[in-house]
Amino acid sequence: MKKLIIIGFLLYGFQLFSQSDTVRIMYYNILNFPGSTQGRYAYFRTTNQYVQADLILVNEILTDAGAIILLQDALNVYGITHYQKASFTNGQDSDNMLFYNNEKFTLYSQYAIETDLRLINEYILYYNSYNLEITNDTIFFYMYSAHLKASTGTSNKLKRLAEVRAFRQRIDNIANAENIFFGGDFNFYTNTEPAYDTLVNYGVYVLNDPLPAGSWHDNSLYSQYHSQSTRTSQFGGGATGGMDDRFDFILFSDDVADGTNAVSYIPNSCIPIGNDGNHFNAALIDAPVNTSVPDSVLQALYYMSDHLPVICDVEIQATTIPQEIFINLKVFLEGPFSGTEMNTVLNAVNDLPLYQPYNTAPWDYTGTESVAAIPNGNVVDWVLVELRDAADASSATEATKIAQQVAFLLNDGSIVSLDGNSNLHSEIIGSTIQKLFVVIWHRNHIGIMSANPLTNSEGVYSYDFTTDADQVYGCTLGHKEIGTGIWGMIGGNGDGNRQVNNDDKNNVWLHVAGKQGYLSGDFNMDTQVNNSDKNDVWLTNYNRTSQVPE
């Protein structure tokens, strides 16, 4: 069996490729948790099951035991195991905590900035880039969580300013800090506060507010941005009065605004979860019905805290180094199969085209491959090979496609390069070789996908579709037994639309019946379009459908 290297990652020819990922950040004041009602973790669980944040920074957590409850009973539940927490720092008042997705991030360091009231916590993480050990392209996130002094009045404004200056003294003296996020419960009533002004207009690292500046307090013009209070009646502590204040913020540095350091804010992604803009001075669950989130989430937000969580999404462009991979594939087509191998009649009579045939619908492959002559007498036809990178076969949809290339199929089922002998050669991003699924398309057979990831042996990734029903996703629905213990792709799909139906007979076979050549209606691929194609192939496979996930 020949070896095949799929050419290119999305057919780029550069030495380095960039792989994108989306990260969701959430800041949330969780109202003196656990307090006397530690069962509120269930509400936190419901909220994050909906939000699915990667970096979660909370205010008003009282103890490390409370953080452990959230980690074990709210985050790492229902099969999820990827959340970790930072070390707890016990200040003189309520505290902050970071929970993070350890599949995406590693916590590099943490530090507590002391103020007269509460700690401001620093958490420095780096993104787990693919091939990080090779590229040394470390993308850092400098995360800061603060709960600033509450209440109106000049003295409280000055206390908030002092806290912000403590933050400024720390961050502005860090050389080359990048991707800075400063968020939490800031208790700002207006953008004219000196503390807000200090954050967004001064310092080495000027911070950006993605939401409109203004006089937010008790102002209906800003109702869609308010994050406190979810309640109009008192229970379990917290403020009442309804939604009338924007106290909860996520600010970020200029490099996040413009993407300079591989992290860029996704416009319009910063929102207070659960605020539909229609509950000014009302409780979150009052009329009119709030449909911005599912009802279960709405109830969880209402009962968890007097604050709403604020989220924002960022995109990461992580540099990765492509790796060379070899893929060893074997597949049979039903039409030309003759018991042990496939016939090469189209090749023998010089009917095979010299230009790849998959540049039309439904494949729309954009490659321009061609040959001066068919290079090997054992070539049966052209095939289109596709790689998908996914956690499992059911999630290996069209959206997970990472590479595509035409190749020649030989009569023994091997797939080879266009010279008929040597391996296709190129590079592909190394991360994708962890869980590769391969799809084979043919112009008049139903496409198939591997039921399992390709197996790796010393850098060669192999898959044999022919040996068992379970080798194809969908099992016997996806392909058929074409010989004793030999499985092959289902013939009769003349229009390539993933199913064998009347269109294949009426719009394909009937139009070329009685003709010969390289024709889609020649289902058995003997160069002749006749009743054998219709009766022996098309009719026996009528209503068969591709199982390749779309």
Side-chain angles (χ1 to χ4, degrees):
M1 204 183 302
K2 307 290 184 180
K3 297 174 184 176
L4 168 67
I5 296 180
I6 301 301
I7 288 186
F9 173 81
L10 300 181
L11 302 180
Y12 289 121
F14 301 103
Q15 180 63 29
L16 294 179
F17 297 100
S18 187
Q19 177 146 328
S20 65
D21 187 15
T22 299
V23 166
R24 174 157 289 177
I25 299 167
M26 178 168 74
Y27 281 83
Y28 195 5
N29 181 322
I30 56 175
L31 186 59
N32 291 319
F33 186 85
S36 60
T37 53
Q38 71 177 37
R40 286 184 294 143
Y41 70 82
Y43 302 132
F44 190 90
R45 178 177 63 208
T46 297
T47 297
N48 193 58
Q49 287 281 311
Y50 174 73
V51 173
Q52 298 184 32
D54 298 298
L55 296 172
I56 304 169
L57 297 101
V58 299
N59 308 129
E60 290 199 28
I61 195 160
L62 302 182
T63 62
D64 191 36
I68 292 172
I69 289 171
L70 292 180
L71 181 67
Q72 295 180 347
D73 297 331
L75 295 174
N76 286 329
V77 294
Y78 304 141
I80 295 173
T81 60
H82 60 241
Y83 283 106
Q84 289 188 4
K85 74 176 189 67
S87 297
F88 181 75
T89 54
N90 190 12
Q92 58 185 329
D93 199 88
S94 62
D95 293 293
N96 305 304
M97 177 52 67
L98 164 76
F99 302 96
Y100 61 97
N101 179 347
N102 69 2
E103 293 179 350
K104 292 189 177 184
F105 289 96
T106 297
L107 180 58
Y108 179 73
S109 68
Q110 62 181 91
Y111 178 80
I113 304 169
E114 300 217 8
T115 76
D116 288 342
L117 179 58
R118 282 180 282 259
L119 298 176
I120 297 175
N121 285 88
E122 170 189 272
Y123 307 101
I124 302 177
L125 307 97
Y126 62 82
Y127 178 69
N128 297 330
S129 303
Y130 300 122
N131 292 335
L132 181 60
E133 71 282 1
I134 300 173
T135 64
N136 294 315
D137 182 36
T138 310
I139 301 170
F140 280 102
F141 280 60
Y142 284 69
M143 309 297 300
Y144 293 85
S145 183
H147 183 189
L148 304 182
K149 182 68 176 72
S151 299
T152 58
T154 301
S155 64
N156 290 319
K157 289 181 182 179
L158 292 176
K159 289 176 182 178
R160 286 193 285 272
L161 177 60
E163 292 170 310
V164 164
R165 283 175 172 168
F167 161 73
R168 271 274 168 233
Q169 183 176 12
R170 170 66 179 178
I171 190 65
D172 286 348
N173 283 286
I174 298 177
N176 301 316
E178 62 184 64
N179 303 318
I180 302 165
F181 293 84
F182 185 49
D185 180 1
F186 289 170
N187 286 302
F188 292 150
Y189 291 85
T190 173
N191 70 305
T192 60
E193 281 208 25
Y196 181 86
D197 185 52
T198 298
L199 290 171
V200 300
N201 290 314
Y202 297 98
V204 175
Y205 304 102
V206 173
L207 301 181
N208 297 265
D209 186 353
L211 298 181
S215 182
W216 305 292
H217 173 62
D218 203 25
N219 188 339
S220 62
L221 294 177
Y222 296 91
S223 60
Q224 64 181 307
Y225 309 117
H226 290 154
S227 60
Q228 205 233 25
S229 165
T230 60
R231 308 161 175 184
T232 55
S233 60
Q234 176 59 249
F235 62 94
T240 59
M243 301 295 297
D244 59 4
D245 277 302
R246 183 193 174 200
F247 282 165
D248 303 273
F249 289 76
I250 302 178
L251 309 179
F252 47 78
S253 50
D254 284 343
D255 56 348
V256 177
D258 59 27
T260 302
N261 287 313
V263 176
S264 56
Y265 170 69
I266 297 176
N268 304 315
S269 68
C270 186
I271 58 171
I273 292 293
N275 185 346
D276 64 353
N278 297 319
H279 287 76
F280 177 66
N281 280 333
L284 196 65
I285 60 174
D286 285 350
V289 175
N290 187 330
T291 60
S292 67
V293 295
D295 184 65
S296 61
V297 177
L298 191 71
Q299 296 291 322
L301 292 168
Y302 178 72
Y303 287 105
M304 177 66 195
S305 175
D306 58 337
H307 288 253
L308 293 178
V310 178
I311 66 166
C312 77
D313 295 337
V314 296
E315 184 179 57
I316 299 177
Q317 292 292 334
T319 301
T320 56
I321 292 181
Q323 296 182 11
E324 183 177 83
I325 65 169
F326 295 83
I327 298 181
N328 190 335
L329 301 174
K330 183 174 182 178
V331 67
F332 282 133
L333 304 175
E334 175 193 13
F337 188 72
S338 59
T340 57
E341 59 182 26
M342 294 172 286
N343 75 59
T344 58
V345 178
L346 289 171
N347 189 359
V349 298
N350 296 318
D351 277 346
L352 287 178
L354 303 180
Y355 187 93
Q356 65 90 1
Y358 297 99
N359 58 346
T360 60
W363 310 282
D364 295 318
Y365 173 63
T366 58
T368 59
E369 294 91 334
S370 64
V371 293
I374 301 300
N376 188 324
N378 293 325
V379 171
V380 175
D381 202 356
W382 298 77
V383 290
L384 182 61
V385 182
E386 178 178 303
L387 291 182
R388 297 184 178 187
D389 177 27
D392 52 48
S394 63
S395 59
T397 63
E398 174 75 14
T400 68
K401 179 174 66 177
I402 53 109
Q404 198 175 41
Q405 179 66 13
V406 291
F408 282 138
L409 175 65
L410 301 187
N411 59 349
D412 66 354
S414 300
I415 295 176
V416 297
S417 70
L418 299 190
D419 66 5
N421 291 297
S422 66
N423 304 318
L424 292 172
H425 177 271
S426 190
E427 295 173 321
I428 191 167
I429 286 182
S431 65
T432 61
I433 65 175
Q434 296 173 32
K435 290 187 179 180
L436 283 179
F437 295 86
V438 64
V439 178
I440 308 296
W441 301 109
H442 183 262
R443 60 191 178 87
N444 63 15
H445 285 63
I446 291 177
I448 57 175
M449 188 183 79
S450 60
N452 306 297
L454 279 62
T455 58
N456 176 21
S457 177
E458 298 182 351
V460 178
Y461 291 77
S462 300
Y463 206 85
D464 189 342
F465 287 96
T466 71
T467 59
D468 193 273
D470 293 340
Q471 286 295 92
V472 164
Y473 184 70
C475 299
T476 56
L477 296 178
H479 64 164
K480 65 187 294 186
E481 192 172 20
I482 57 176
T484 303
I486 302 174
W487 295 78
M489 294 174 65
I490 297 168
N493 185 205
D495 57 10
N497 72 345
R498 301 169 61 97
Q499 59 183 329
V500 178
N501 56 24
N502 284 327
D503 289 341
D504 300 299
K505 183 188 73 170
N506 298 332
N507 299 337
V508 180
W509 177 85
L510 190 59
H511 280 256
V512 291
K515 297 181 180 180
Q516 66 179 50
Y518 189 75
L519 302 168
S520 293
D522 179 21
F523 300 137
N524 63 13
M525 297 168 58
D526 65 355
T527 78
Q528 305 290 327
V529 181
N530 53 31
N531 283 331
S532 294
D533 300 299
K534 176 172 66 71
N535 298 333
D536 299 340
V537 183
W538 174 82
L539 187 59
T540 62
N541 295 322
Y542 186 74
N543 277 339
R544 298 293 295 265
T545 302
S546 173
Q547 303 300 301
V548 177
E550 297 188 68

